[in-house]
Amino acid sequence: MSEWTIIHNPRWGTSRKALQLLRDNSIEPNIVNYIKNPLDNKYIEQISAKLGLHPNQFMRKKEQAFKDHKIDEHIDDEKKLISFMANFPKLIERPIIIRNEKAVIGRPIENIFKLI
């Protein structure tokens, strides 16, 4: 099994570019399409720890679900934010690249070089 994972949405150019950057560096990651296969709370907690970020730091605040569910009212509640992300996967910033116990958000794409 690969030590690399990409939390990926193939519909988005940045995510496709991140995957290509990995492949250009001879890295074939496990690909997790988080839209088709939503992440559970525990996995999102693990990603948060690997990123070293509070969930509000890798949540897409311009998504409609953020506004519709008034998530800003819970912006400091880690557990609630993780639950929202599990239920509304488009809220998760992407792509996220994971290598063992470290992770980065692949935006800007140069962030990926921190793991290579």
Side-chain angles (χ1 to χ4, degrees):
M1 178 169 256
S2 175
E3 64 185 76
W4 293 84
T5 299
I6 182 170
I7 307 302
H8 180 61
N9 183 344
R11 295 190 65 199
W12 293 101
T14 303
S15 199
R16 290 190 307 270
K17 287 177 187 174
L19 179 56
Q20 189 59 52
L21 176 74
L22 292 172
R23 288 177 170 162
D24 289 347
N25 284 277
S26 302
I27 298 164
E28 187 56 45
N30 295 313
I31 299 170
V32 177
N33 182 331
Y34 69 100
I35 299 299
K36 286 187 178 180
N37 302 300
L39 310 177
D40 64 22
N41 290 27
K42 184 175 181 174
Y43 194 57
I44 296 170
E45 284 178 27
Q46 291 170 352
I47 291 170
S48 181
K50 290 176 183 191
L51 287 167
L53 298 175
H54 189 279
N56 68 23
Q57 294 175 288
F58 64 101
M59 177 175 269
R60 298 177 56 83
K61 296 170 183 76
K62 293 183 181 178
E63 286 293 327
Q64 192 61 45
F66 187 88
K67 297 169 190 161
D68 290 348
H69 298 282
K70 300 180 181 174
I71 296 173
D72 58 328
E73 295 175 7
H74 308 282
I75 203 67
D76 293 321
D77 187 327
E78 184 175 354
K79 296 288 184 195
K80 283 188 179 181
L81 293 184
I82 287 172
S83 181
F84 281 121
M85 293 166 117
N87 289 307
F88 305 100
K90 288 184 180 181
L91 290 170
I92 300 170
E93 186 63 72
R94 79 281 186 188
I96 297 173
I97 294 73
I98 303 166
R99 181 178 187 197
N100 298 323
E101 297 305 311
K102 299 281 185 190
V104 295
I105 297 171
R107 182 180 297 214
I109 201 156
E110 292 80 16
N111 283 349
I112 298 169
F113 289 112
K114 295 175 185 175
L115 296 180
I116 294 178

